[in-house]
Amino acid sequence: MDNIIRPTFGAPRRPEQPDARRVQVFTQRVYGEANGCRVCLVHDADAPEGDVYKVVVGFLSDDEVSTVAILPATPEGDTDSEIVALAILRTLAMLETGATPPGSA
């Protein structure tokens, strides 16, 4: 299975889509919070894609999360999920502080 990063992150959810699922999930790992969001890892053995890890992001003020990456539930997938989650967390932290690239001022 290929790694999938959803291109619709930040877009409104559309539950009427046939592939949209609303399920209760239990967080396996919390990577951190930044810019009003929490980044977590969920293990979903019953996903349509098979046994997978999902990196999810949700607003601190809400109980709902959005899946931003799906990786196979393997040791390699676990490692990749760490990399993806930490990259997302770092990006959110940079947005929170208003960081600008060097030389762009």
Side-chain angles (χ1 to χ4, degrees):
M1 170 192 339
D2 289 335
N3 295 344
I4 301 168
I5 296 179
R6 302 262 183 228
T8 57
F9 176 62
R13 293 182 190 93
R14 296 184 204 134
E16 68 276 4
Q17 291 178 338
D19 65 338
R21 290 190 321 147
R22 191 172 288 251
V23 296
Q24 182 176 6
V25 296
F26 297 98
T27 303
Q28 183 171 339
R29 224 175 277 147
V30 176
Y31 292 102
E33 301 171 352
N35 202 25
C37 296
R38 181 177 292 123
V39 181
C40 303
L41 179 72
V42 171
H43 180 213
D44 188 353
D46 299 323
E49 303 86 1
D51 190 17
V52 296
Y53 292 125
K54 295 181 178 183
V55 177
V56 298
V57 177
F59 291 109
L60 296 174
S61 60
D62 195 357
D63 289 337
E64 292 191 23
V65 295
S66 293
T67 301
V68 295
I70 300 174
L71 302 112
T74 61
E76 294 82 8
D78 185 54
T79 300
D80 289 347
S81 67
E82 293 267 331
I83 293 167
V84 170
L86 293 174
I88 292 168
L89 187 61
R90 177 66 179 136
T91 301
L92 289 169
M94 290 173 65
L95 292 171
E96 182 176 48
T97 61
T100 57
S104 67

